[in-house]
Amino acid sequence: MSTLATLAVLALAALHAYILVLEMFLWTTPRARAAFGTTAEFAAETKALAANQGLYNGFLAAGLLWGALASGTVGFQVSVFFLVCVAVAGVYGAATASRKILFVQTVPALIALALVLLAH
């Protein structure tokens, strides 16, 4: 992959690692509540669900990191797979939770996917 494509995949991995931290460890803090638009009561009630969701974001981050660091065809295929997973998850999240997810998750994933495909 080109340097630009690799950097885009790594940036998306970092974003999902950050989301993991917000959802798994900081869910009830003012920072996470502001990021997700939740109340203190809602955050307290959904802490376990958010931690589970954060774990899935961690898997996405790990897969993106793997794709960025693997060489050749494996790196390309893994990157494409996980970028498509992120984009689909973003579309679903935008449809069911918040339209903001489309711009935070799906658009960056599609940009990174385009860069990866162009670099191949």
XYZ file of all heavy atoms in Angstrom:
875
model
N 0.844 -1.186 0.000
C 0.000 0.000 0.000
C 0.882 1.241 0.000
O 2.000 1.208 0.496
C -0.884 0.024 1.247
C -2.070 -0.898 1.196
S -3.304 -0.611 2.477
C -2.404 -0.799 3.983
N 0.339 2.305 -0.495
C 1.065 3.566 -0.474
C 1.124 4.105 0.951
O 0.353 3.695 1.824
C 0.379 4.595 -1.381
O -0.821 5.040 -0.780
N 2.009 5.021 1.160
C 2.143 5.634 2.487
C 0.855 6.338 2.889
O 0.413 6.229 4.033
C 3.319 6.632 2.480
O 4.517 5.921 2.119
C 3.502 7.264 3.841
N 0.231 7.036 1.965
C -1.002 7.754 2.264
C -2.122 6.783 2.655
O -2.862 7.022 3.617
C -1.425 8.612 1.069
C -2.625 9.516 1.275
C -2.400 10.490 2.437
C -2.929 10.282 -0.004
N -2.253 5.689 1.929
C -3.274 4.684 2.248
C -3.003 4.071 3.614
O -3.927 3.908 4.424
C -3.321 3.605 1.172
N -1.762 3.756 3.884
C -1.402 3.180 5.179
C -1.709 4.149 6.310
O -2.256 3.765 7.355
C 0.092 2.780 5.203
O 0.318 1.823 4.163
C 0.487 2.182 6.549
N -1.377 5.419 6.117
C -1.665 6.427 7.143
C -3.167 6.587 7.367
O -3.613 6.765 8.508
C -1.037 7.766 6.761
C 0.486 7.831 6.848
C 1.000 9.164 6.303
C 0.957 7.606 8.268
N -3.950 6.506 6.305
C -5.402 6.608 6.444
C -5.954 5.430 7.244
O -6.806 5.607 8.123
C -6.058 6.679 5.069
N -5.459 4.236 6.976
C -5.905 3.047 7.721
C -5.472 3.161 9.186
O -6.252 2.862 10.095
C -5.369 1.754 7.067
C -5.692 0.530 7.917
C -5.950 1.582 5.662
N -4.250 3.620 9.420
C -3.774 3.793 10.799
C -4.578 4.858 11.542
O -4.863 4.701 12.736
C -2.289 4.150 10.803
C -1.331 3.009 10.452
C 0.091 3.546 10.297
C -1.383 1.897 11.494
N -4.937 5.925 10.857
C -5.752 6.975 11.489
C -7.121 6.425 11.889
O -7.624 6.721 12.977
C -5.907 8.168 10.549
N -7.709 5.619 11.032
C -8.997 5.019 11.361
C -8.859 4.024 12.513
O -9.736 3.949 13.378
C -9.590 4.343 10.127
C -11.093 4.178 10.118
C -11.816 5.502 10.272
C -11.537 3.488 8.850
N -7.746 3.293 12.547
C -7.487 2.389 13.679
C -7.380 3.183 14.977
O -7.933 2.777 16.012
C -6.208 1.586 13.431
N -6.698 4.317 14.926
C -6.565 5.164 16.121
C -7.923 5.696 16.567
O -8.221 5.742 17.768
C -5.602 6.315 15.840
N -8.761 6.082 15.613
C -10.105 6.558 15.944
C -10.896 5.471 16.670
O -11.531 5.726 17.693
C -10.841 6.983 14.674
C -12.325 7.319 14.850
C -12.511 8.550 15.730
C -12.988 7.508 13.500
N -10.825 4.254 16.175
C -11.577 3.172 16.815
C -10.975 2.757 18.149
O -11.715 2.339 19.054
C -11.766 2.011 15.847
C -12.848 2.312 14.864
N -14.173 2.089 15.129
C -12.803 2.895 13.649
C -14.892 2.514 14.106
N -14.083 3.007 13.200
N -9.687 2.911 18.304
C -9.086 2.676 19.622
C -9.572 3.733 20.613
O -9.865 3.428 21.777
C -7.564 2.691 19.514
N -9.694 4.959 20.148
C -10.213 6.039 20.998
C -11.669 5.781 21.378
O -12.067 5.964 22.528
C -10.061 7.385 20.276
C -10.622 8.553 21.047
C -10.064 8.950 22.255
C -11.715 9.263 20.569
C -10.582 10.027 22.966
C -12.238 10.338 21.268
C -11.663 10.712 22.468
O -12.175 11.774 23.172
N -12.461 5.330 20.408
C -13.853 4.996 20.704
C -13.919 3.858 21.717
O -14.753 3.876 22.627
C -14.624 4.656 19.406
C -14.726 5.891 18.512
C -16.019 4.118 19.728
C -15.256 5.615 17.107
N -13.030 2.879 21.591
C -12.954 1.802 22.587
C -12.759 2.374 23.978
O -13.460 2.011 24.919
C -11.813 0.833 22.257
C -11.475 -0.218 23.304
C -11.002 -1.494 22.654
C -10.444 0.256 24.298
N -11.820 3.286 24.127
C -11.543 3.893 25.441
C -12.766 4.643 25.955
O -13.148 4.509 27.125
C -10.305 4.814 25.367
C -10.133 5.616 26.647
C -9.047 3.989 25.077
N -13.389 5.429 25.084
C -14.586 6.171 25.501
C -15.690 5.231 25.965
O -16.312 5.461 27.005
C -15.114 7.035 24.353
C -14.363 8.315 24.026
C -14.975 8.974 22.794
C -14.373 9.277 25.202
N -15.932 4.176 25.206
C -17.057 3.302 25.516
C -16.760 2.319 26.651
O -17.657 2.014 27.440
C -17.486 2.539 24.266
C -18.097 3.458 23.222
C -18.439 2.780 21.919
O -17.867 1.713 21.609
O -19.287 3.325 21.191
N -15.543 1.845 26.740
C -15.237 0.838 27.762
C -14.846 1.438 29.105
O -15.156 0.855 30.149
C -14.117 -0.094 27.285
C -14.537 -1.027 26.177
S -13.331 -2.314 25.844
C -13.737 -3.469 27.161
N -14.155 2.562 29.088
C -13.565 3.068 30.324
C -14.080 4.446 30.751
O -14.003 4.789 31.920
C -12.039 3.101 30.205
C -11.461 1.775 29.796
C -10.894 1.596 28.548
C -11.510 0.691 30.661
C -10.371 0.367 28.165
C -10.999 -0.535 30.291
C -10.425 -0.704 29.041
N -14.552 5.239 29.805
C -14.940 6.615 30.123
C -16.426 6.879 29.908
O -16.848 8.032 29.906
C -14.113 7.593 29.271
C -12.596 7.488 29.387
C -11.920 8.445 28.417
C -12.151 7.748 30.813
N -17.222 5.860 29.722
C -18.610 5.997 29.325
C -19.416 6.952 30.202
O -20.243 7.711 29.706
C -19.277 4.625 29.283
C -20.674 4.651 28.774
C -21.808 4.397 29.503
C -21.114 4.943 27.446
N -22.923 4.508 28.703
C -22.520 4.848 27.427
C -20.457 5.287 26.264
C -23.273 5.076 26.281
C -21.209 5.509 25.130
C -22.589 5.412 25.144
N -19.183 6.921 31.501
C -19.984 7.747 32.408
C -19.366 9.117 32.685
O -19.930 9.900 33.444
C -20.224 7.013 33.748
O -18.959 6.693 34.324
C -21.040 5.739 33.544
N -18.242 9.428 32.064
C -17.590 10.719 32.291
C -18.237 11.801 31.424
O -18.854 11.508 30.399
C -16.086 10.656 31.952
O -15.944 10.446 30.538
C -15.387 9.539 32.732
N -18.073 13.054 31.835
C -18.625 14.149 31.018
C -18.107 14.142 29.578
O -18.861 14.458 28.649
C -18.172 15.405 31.771
C -18.031 14.954 33.193
C -17.519 13.540 33.108
N -16.852 13.776 29.374
C -16.274 13.768 28.023
C -17.018 12.784 27.113
O -17.402 13.119 25.992
C -14.799 13.416 28.089
C -14.187 13.221 26.724
C -12.745 12.801 26.818
N -12.013 13.662 25.927
C -10.744 13.954 26.025
N -10.047 13.491 27.004
N -10.166 14.737 25.167
N -17.211 11.562 27.589
C -17.902 10.557 26.778
C -19.377 10.903 26.620
O -19.942 10.734 25.533
C -17.739 9.171 27.399
N -19.985 11.401 27.685
C -21.401 11.768 27.588
C -21.599 12.882 26.563
O -22.575 12.872 25.801
C -21.956 12.160 28.959
C -22.075 10.963 29.897
C -22.942 11.229 31.118
N -23.020 12.600 31.570
C -22.257 13.125 32.534
N -21.337 12.397 33.141
N -22.419 14.381 32.890
N -20.669 13.822 26.504
C -20.756 14.895 25.508
C -20.542 14.330 24.098
O -21.240 14.725 23.152
C -19.732 15.982 25.811
N -19.601 13.418 23.953
C -19.312 12.842 22.638
C -20.499 12.055 22.088
O -20.762 12.080 20.885
C -18.081 11.937 22.724
N -21.206 11.368 22.977
C -22.307 10.518 22.537
C -23.680 11.121 22.815
O -24.696 10.511 22.481
C -22.193 9.129 23.183
C -20.986 8.374 22.707
C -19.851 8.292 23.496
C -20.972 7.762 21.466
C -18.730 7.597 23.059
C -19.853 7.070 21.021
C -18.730 6.991 21.814
N -23.723 12.298 23.440
C -24.981 12.969 23.694
C -25.881 12.237 24.670
O -27.089 12.146 24.447
N -25.296 11.707 25.743
C -26.077 10.958 26.722
C -26.153 11.710 28.049
O -25.331 12.580 28.333
C -25.461 9.567 26.975
O -24.126 9.723 27.470
C -25.426 8.739 25.697
N -27.125 11.335 28.849
C -27.251 11.892 30.191
C -26.491 11.003 31.172
O -26.152 9.855 30.852
C -28.728 11.937 30.623
O -29.220 10.587 30.696
C -29.561 12.762 29.653
N -26.253 11.530 32.359
C -25.586 10.743 33.395
C -26.391 9.498 33.740
O -25.817 8.410 33.927
C -25.357 11.603 34.636
N -27.704 9.634 33.792
C -28.566 8.502 34.130
C -28.492 7.413 33.059
O -28.359 6.232 33.356
C -30.017 8.957 34.314
C -30.233 9.907 35.469
C -29.799 11.354 35.169
O -29.720 11.764 33.980
O -29.503 12.079 36.138
N -28.598 7.845 31.797
C -28.529 6.885 30.692
C -27.173 6.190 30.672
O -27.101 4.972 30.483
C -28.780 7.585 29.354
C -28.707 6.666 28.173
C -29.798 5.883 27.827
C -27.545 6.575 27.420
C -29.728 5.019 26.737
C -27.464 5.716 26.332
C -28.566 4.932 25.985
N -26.114 6.962 30.865
C -24.765 6.381 30.856
C -24.611 5.341 31.957
O -24.027 4.270 31.733
C -23.717 7.480 30.994
N -25.126 5.633 33.130
C -25.034 4.681 34.236
C -25.809 3.404 33.931
O -25.342 2.296 34.224
C -25.550 5.322 35.524
N -26.975 3.542 33.321
C -27.811 2.387 33.011
C -27.261 1.526 31.882
O -27.548 0.334 31.815
C -29.223 2.847 32.633
C -30.007 3.440 33.772
C -31.321 4.053 33.315
O -31.696 3.901 32.134
O -31.965 4.696 34.157
N -26.483 2.131 30.994
C -26.016 1.409 29.798
C -24.514 1.131 29.810
O -23.950 0.782 28.772
C -26.377 2.207 28.536
O -25.755 3.501 28.617
C -27.874 2.351 28.370
N -23.891 1.264 30.944
C -22.434 1.117 31.032
C -21.956 -0.239 30.496
O -20.983 -0.302 29.740
C -21.983 1.314 32.481
C -20.493 1.391 32.640
C -20.132 1.745 34.073
C -18.615 1.820 34.194
N -18.197 2.208 35.530
N -22.622 -1.322 30.856
C -22.207 -2.651 30.392
C -22.398 -2.798 28.883
O -21.547 -3.383 28.199
C -22.969 -3.736 31.139
N -23.491 -2.271 28.367
C -23.723 -2.330 26.920
C -22.664 -1.533 26.161
O -22.167 -1.966 25.119
C -25.116 -1.796 26.586
C -26.295 -2.632 27.060
C -27.607 -1.886 26.820
C -26.321 -3.971 26.371
N -22.329 -0.369 26.681
C -21.323 0.469 26.029
C -19.958 -0.215 26.044
O -19.209 -0.136 25.064
C -21.237 1.827 26.714
N -19.632 -0.886 27.146
C -18.345 -1.594 27.220
C -18.286 -2.701 26.171
O -17.249 -2.906 25.521
C -18.139 -2.155 28.619
N -19.388 -3.398 25.978
C -19.447 -4.440 24.953
C -19.254 -3.833 23.567
O -18.503 -4.352 22.739
C -20.788 -5.175 25.038
C -20.855 -6.341 24.091
O -19.994 -7.202 24.089
N -21.881 -6.361 23.281
N -19.910 -2.728 23.323
C -19.767 -2.028 22.045
C -18.333 -1.544 21.852
O -17.786 -1.604 20.753
C -20.742 -0.854 22.030
C -20.857 -0.149 20.722
C -22.010 0.830 20.745
O -23.162 0.435 20.843
N -21.688 2.101 20.659
N -17.720 -1.070 22.927
C -16.329 -0.631 22.857
C -15.394 -1.759 22.486
O -14.429 -1.561 21.734
N -15.681 -2.954 22.999
C -14.851 -4.109 22.663
C -14.887 -4.379 21.164
O -13.854 -4.642 20.543
C -15.321 -5.327 23.451
C -14.489 -6.596 23.286
C -13.065 -6.377 23.766
C -15.134 -7.736 24.054
N -16.058 -4.266 20.564
C -16.166 -4.456 19.120
C -15.376 -3.391 18.359
O -14.751 -3.690 17.339
C -17.635 -4.450 18.675
C -18.332 -5.740 18.997
C -19.075 -5.876 20.164
C -18.221 -6.843 18.159
C -19.713 -7.065 20.476
C -18.849 -8.038 18.464
C -19.589 -8.149 19.623
O -20.204 -9.328 19.928
N -15.393 -2.171 18.839
C -14.570 -1.136 18.209
C -13.091 -1.467 18.340
O -12.299 -1.157 17.453
C -14.897 0.235 18.805
C -16.087 0.860 18.135
O -16.016 1.263 16.985
N -17.207 0.916 18.841
N -12.720 -2.091 19.438
C -11.339 -2.546 19.604
C -10.957 -3.603 18.577
O -9.846 -3.601 18.052
N -11.892 -4.509 18.284
C -11.627 -5.514 17.250
C -11.438 -4.854 15.886
O -10.568 -5.259 15.105
C -12.758 -6.539 17.180
C -12.859 -7.428 18.388
C -14.098 -7.790 18.883
C -11.736 -7.901 19.049
C -14.218 -8.604 19.993
C -11.830 -8.711 20.159
C -13.077 -9.078 20.636
N -12.252 -3.837 15.605
C -12.072 -3.105 14.351
C -10.708 -2.427 14.309
O -10.009 -2.473 13.300
C -13.188 -2.070 14.168
C -14.585 -2.622 13.905
C -15.605 -1.489 13.911
C -14.639 -3.388 12.594
N -10.322 -1.807 15.414
C -9.009 -1.151 15.483
C -7.886 -2.159 15.272
O -6.928 -1.890 14.530
C -8.844 -0.430 16.826
N -7.998 -3.311 15.901
C -6.964 -4.348 15.759
C -6.873 -4.832 14.318
O -5.768 -5.009 13.777
C -7.253 -5.513 16.703
N -8.003 -5.042 13.692
C -7.999 -5.481 12.299
C -7.414 -4.440 11.365
O -6.656 -4.768 10.443
N -7.752 -3.196 11.597
C -7.185 -2.121 10.770
C -5.677 -2.011 10.967
O -4.923 -1.813 10.001
C -7.873 -0.791 11.102
C -9.334 -0.690 10.675
C -10.015 0.490 11.349
C -9.452 -0.598 9.158
N -5.231 -2.144 12.196
C -3.794 -2.118 12.473
C -3.100 -3.283 11.775
O -2.037 -3.115 11.161
C -3.558 -2.160 13.986
C -2.132 -2.017 14.460
C -1.544 -0.667 14.042
C -2.068 -2.168 15.971
N -3.678 -4.462 11.850
C -3.146 -5.636 11.173
C -3.035 -5.366 9.670
O -2.000 -5.628 9.056
C -4.038 -6.832 11.468
C -3.715 -8.113 10.747
C -2.519 -8.506 10.231
C -4.623 -9.182 10.473
N -2.628 -9.749 9.662
C -3.916 -10.183 9.805
C -5.979 -9.378 10.753
C -4.510 -11.377 9.393
C -6.555 -10.568 10.353
C -5.832 -11.548 9.679
N -4.095 -4.847 9.082
C -4.074 -4.565 7.650
C -3.015 -3.549 7.266
O -2.353 -3.684 6.238
N -2.838 -2.529 8.095
C -1.848 -1.486 7.797
C -0.423 -2.010 7.912
O 0.470 -1.565 7.185
C -2.045 -0.296 8.727
N -0.208 -2.944 8.821
C 1.155 -3.426 9.079
C 1.530 -4.672 8.285
O 2.713 -4.947 8.089
C 1.350 -3.684 10.576
C 1.193 -2.453 11.469
C 1.370 -2.832 12.937
C 2.156 -1.353 11.068
N 0.549 -5.426 7.835
C 0.841 -6.627 7.044
C 1.298 -6.208 5.654
O 0.885 -5.178 5.128
C -0.397 -7.504 6.951
N 2.127 -7.024 5.083
C 2.657 -6.662 3.769
C 1.926 -7.387 2.646
O 1.263 -8.399 2.860
C 4.160 -6.981 3.705
O 4.364 -8.356 3.937
N 2.055 -6.854 1.459
C 1.554 -7.499 0.255
C 0.060 -7.701 0.214
O -0.726 -6.890 0.713
N -0.321 -8.819 -0.372
C -1.728 -9.135 -0.582
C -2.489 -9.266 0.729
O -3.649 -8.846 0.818
C -1.855 -10.435 -1.401
O -1.140 -10.265 -2.626
C -3.293 -10.758 -1.724
N -1.853 -9.824 1.734
C -2.528 -9.996 3.025
C -2.915 -8.634 3.594
O -4.051 -8.428 4.022
C -1.655 -10.781 4.022
C -2.254 -10.752 5.420
C -1.470 -12.212 3.553
N -2.000 -7.688 3.604
C -2.297 -6.358 4.110
C -3.421 -5.697 3.343
O -4.312 -5.072 3.931
N -3.399 -5.841 2.040
C -4.452 -5.270 1.203
C -5.804 -5.892 1.530
O -6.791 -5.193 1.764
C -4.106 -5.473 -0.282
C -5.227 -5.131 -1.214
C -5.556 -3.815 -1.487
C -5.970 -6.146 -1.818
C -6.601 -3.494 -2.343
C -7.012 -5.836 -2.670
C -7.332 -4.509 -2.942
N -5.868 -7.227 1.557
C -7.137 -7.922 1.790
C -7.690 -7.644 3.183
O -8.891 -7.403 3.347
C -6.963 -9.422 1.586
C -6.713 -9.792 0.136
C -6.361 -11.253 -0.057
O -5.928 -11.930 0.873
N -6.555 -11.744 -1.264
N -6.834 -7.660 4.182
C -7.281 -7.391 5.551
C -7.767 -5.951 5.671
O -8.806 -5.682 6.292
C -6.153 -7.704 6.567
C -6.511 -7.213 7.952
C -5.861 -9.202 6.585
N -7.038 -5.029 5.069
C -7.459 -3.620 5.107
C -8.814 -3.438 4.452
O -9.702 -2.772 5.012
C -6.421 -2.727 4.417
O -5.228 -2.690 5.157
N -9.004 -4.006 3.287
C -10.281 -3.881 2.586
C -11.409 -4.467 3.428
O -12.464 -3.838 3.605
C -10.229 -4.539 1.184
C -11.620 -4.672 0.582
C -9.310 -3.742 0.261
N -11.205 -5.664 3.978
C -12.239 -6.298 4.786
C -12.641 -5.423 5.968
O -13.832 -5.165 6.179
C -11.766 -7.673 5.281
C -12.739 -8.308 6.232
C -13.886 -8.924 5.763
C -12.519 -8.263 7.597
C -14.801 -9.494 6.640
C -13.428 -8.828 8.484
C -14.568 -9.445 8.001
N -11.664 -4.955 6.738
C -11.997 -4.181 7.937
C -12.516 -2.785 7.603
O -13.373 -2.259 8.317
C -10.820 -4.147 8.917
C -10.743 -5.407 9.727
C -9.907 -6.436 9.358
C -11.540 -5.579 10.849
C -9.851 -7.613 10.081
C -11.500 -6.752 11.586
C -10.652 -7.772 11.204
N -12.056 -2.194 6.520
C -12.605 -0.903 6.117
C -14.069 -1.035 5.702
O -14.894 -0.178 6.033
C -11.767 -0.290 4.990
C -10.391 0.210 5.409
C -9.526 0.493 4.180
C -10.498 1.433 6.307
N -14.404 -2.108 5.008
C -15.800 -2.350 4.643
C -16.628 -2.596 5.906
O -17.749 -2.081 6.032
C -15.920 -3.520 3.640
C -17.371 -3.948 3.454
C -15.309 -3.125 2.295
N -16.076 -3.352 6.863
C -16.785 -3.571 8.133
C -17.073 -2.251 8.838
O -18.191 -2.030 9.338
C -15.952 -4.473 9.061
S -15.902 -6.198 8.569
N -16.093 -1.369 8.888
C -16.278 -0.061 9.534
C -17.339 0.740 8.798
O -18.220 1.354 9.423
C -14.941 0.713 9.596
C -15.169 2.159 10.017
C -13.966 0.026 10.546
N -17.290 0.739 7.479
C -18.266 1.509 6.702
C -19.681 0.980 6.914
O -20.623 1.762 7.123
C -17.894 1.478 5.217
N -19.846 -0.327 6.898
C -21.176 -0.917 7.101
C -21.674 -0.626 8.515
O -22.837 -0.251 8.714
C -21.149 -2.434 6.816
C -22.440 -3.109 7.270
C -20.898 -2.686 5.333
N -20.803 -0.778 9.508
C -21.191 -0.471 10.886
C -21.590 0.998 11.016
O -22.540 1.331 11.734
C -20.045 -0.802 11.844
N -20.891 1.870 10.315
C -21.219 3.288 10.351
C -22.565 3.591 9.722
O -23.335 4.403 10.245
N -22.870 2.939 8.621
C -24.175 3.126 7.979
C -25.282 2.647 8.913
O -26.297 3.332 9.100
C -24.237 2.394 6.618
C -25.660 2.337 6.090
C -23.316 3.061 5.613
N -25.086 1.494 9.525
C -26.094 0.971 10.453
C -26.254 1.904 11.656
O -27.370 2.206 12.079
C -25.721 -0.439 10.909
C -26.771 -1.053 11.796
C -27.924 -1.599 11.258
C -26.626 -1.049 13.182
C -28.906 -2.140 12.065
C -27.600 -1.585 14.000
C -28.740 -2.133 13.438
O -29.703 -2.658 14.239
N -25.129 2.356 12.201
C -25.182 3.276 13.340
C -25.861 4.583 12.991
O -26.632 5.137 13.780
N -25.614 5.081 11.791
C -26.248 6.322 11.356
C -27.751 6.138 11.189
O -28.533 7.035 11.492
C -25.628 6.801 10.048
N -28.151 4.961 10.737
C -29.571 4.693 10.521
C -30.315 4.442 11.830
O -31.509 4.731 11.927
C -29.744 3.488 9.594
N -29.615 3.923 12.831
C -30.311 3.513 14.050
C -30.002 4.363 15.278
O -30.784 4.350 16.229
C -29.969 2.054 14.391
O -28.553 1.939 14.590
C -30.420 1.112 13.291
N -28.885 5.065 15.276
C -28.495 5.796 16.485
C -28.346 7.295 16.245
O -29.025 8.101 16.861
C -27.206 5.217 17.059
N -27.419 7.671 15.351
C -27.152 9.086 15.126
C -26.567 9.287 13.730
O -25.619 8.583 13.351
C -26.162 9.601 16.173
O -25.696 10.887 15.837
N -27.103 10.244 13.009
C -26.588 10.522 11.664
C -25.130 10.977 11.704
O -24.416 10.857 10.715
C -27.459 11.571 10.992
C -28.851 11.025 10.688
C -29.732 12.039 10.042
N -29.314 12.197 8.646
C -29.751 13.161 7.872
N -30.580 14.065 8.335
N -29.345 13.247 6.627
N -24.704 11.505 12.843
C -23.328 11.962 13.003
C -22.332 10.827 12.735
O -21.230 11.059 12.226
C -23.149 12.519 14.416
C -21.787 13.081 14.709
C -21.767 13.748 16.074
C -21.219 12.789 17.099
N -20.955 13.428 18.398
N -22.732 9.607 13.033
C -21.853 8.444 12.848
C -21.455 8.300 11.384
O -20.345 7.871 11.081
C -22.530 7.164 13.383
C -22.724 7.271 14.896
C -21.716 5.919 13.040
C -23.573 6.176 15.502
N -22.340 8.680 10.494
C -22.030 8.601 9.070
C -20.780 9.406 8.738
O -19.925 8.959 7.967
C -23.227 9.122 8.260
C -23.252 8.808 6.781
C -23.371 7.320 6.542
C -24.394 9.543 6.121
N -20.643 10.574 9.350
C -19.518 11.459 9.055
C -18.281 11.139 9.881
O -17.162 11.400 9.456
C -19.950 12.913 9.245
C -21.113 13.258 8.380
C -22.397 13.327 8.912
C -20.944 13.464 7.017
C -23.484 13.606 8.102
C -22.034 13.750 6.199
C -23.298 13.818 6.744
N -18.481 10.569 11.060
C -17.351 10.237 11.937
C -16.734 8.900 11.556
O -15.527 8.719 11.674
C -17.812 10.219 13.415
C -16.732 9.694 14.331
C -18.254 11.611 13.839
N -17.559 7.976 11.081
C -17.089 6.609 10.859
C -17.136 6.195 9.388
O -16.132 5.737 8.839
C -17.943 5.656 11.694
C -17.458 4.234 11.713
C -18.211 3.404 12.747
O -18.714 3.923 13.731
N -18.279 2.117 12.521
N -18.273 6.353 8.735
C -18.423 5.832 7.378
C -17.595 6.609 6.359
O -16.887 6.001 5.552
C -19.904 5.834 6.956
O -20.642 5.097 7.928
C -20.087 5.201 5.594
N -17.690 7.926 6.385
C -16.960 8.728 5.390
C -15.448 8.501 5.492
O -14.798 8.231 4.474
C -17.341 10.223 5.483
C -16.422 11.078 4.634
C -18.799 10.419 5.065
N -14.843 8.553 6.690
C -13.406 8.264 6.762
C -13.058 6.852 6.281
O -12.025 6.649 5.634
C -13.068 8.442 8.239
C -14.122 9.356 8.760
C -15.360 9.015 7.985
N -13.923 5.877 6.579
C -13.663 4.509 6.125
C -13.693 4.419 4.605
O -12.847 3.744 3.998
C -14.675 3.542 6.733
N -14.645 5.098 3.985
C -14.731 5.064 2.525
C -13.569 5.796 1.869
O -13.071 5.368 0.818
C -16.073 5.633 2.070
C -17.301 4.781 2.436
C -18.575 5.491 2.019
C -17.208 3.395 1.836
N -13.122 6.879 2.482
C -11.937 7.588 1.959
C -10.716 6.688 2.056
O -9.946 6.549 1.092
C -11.720 8.916 2.704
C -12.835 9.901 2.356
C -10.341 9.509 2.382
C -12.866 11.148 3.218
N -10.517 6.054 3.213
C -9.385 5.147 3.379
C -9.493 3.981 2.422
O -8.486 3.559 1.825
C -9.308 4.653 4.828
N -10.688 3.436 2.227
C -10.882 2.325 1.294
C -10.511 2.758 -0.114
O -9.843 2.004 -0.842
C -12.337 1.844 1.346
C -12.703 0.696 0.415
C -11.871 -0.550 0.719
C -14.201 0.391 0.534
N -10.930 3.932 -0.529
C -10.580 4.424 -1.866
C -9.063 4.549 -2.019
O -8.501 4.155 -3.057
C -11.253 5.773 -2.122
N -8.391 5.055 -0.981
C -6.933 5.183 -1.035
C -6.258 3.813 -1.121
O -5.286 3.636 -1.880
C -6.425 5.957 0.178
C -6.783 7.437 0.205
C -6.450 8.038 1.568
C -6.065 8.180 -0.914
N -6.765 2.852 -0.361
C -6.201 1.493 -0.398
C -6.406 0.873 -1.781
O -5.475 0.272 -2.345
C -6.823 0.621 0.713
C -6.485 -0.855 0.509
C -6.345 1.080 2.082
N -7.598 1.010 -2.325
C -7.873 0.433 -3.645
C -7.039 1.116 -4.737
O -6.545 0.440 -5.646
C -9.369 0.548 -3.966
C -10.294 -0.321 -3.097
C -11.756 0.008 -3.391
C -10.011 -1.796 -3.297
N -6.895 2.425 -4.653
C -6.065 3.132 -5.631
C -4.595 2.756 -5.516
O -3.876 2.768 -6.526
C -6.236 4.647 -5.469
C -7.576 5.218 -5.926
C -7.701 6.681 -5.525
C -7.730 5.062 -7.438
N -4.162 2.438 -4.323
C -2.744 2.100 -4.110
C -2.410 0.681 -4.547
O -1.245 0.342 -4.719
C -2.387 2.270 -2.638
N -3.425 -0.139 -4.724
C -3.189 -1.561 -5.055
C -2.969 -1.771 -6.526
O -3.450 -1.317 -7.424
C -4.359 -2.422 -4.551
C -4.103 -3.882 -4.709
N -3.089 -4.521 -4.037
C -4.726 -4.829 -5.438
C -3.116 -5.806 -4.362
N -4.097 -6.002 -5.207
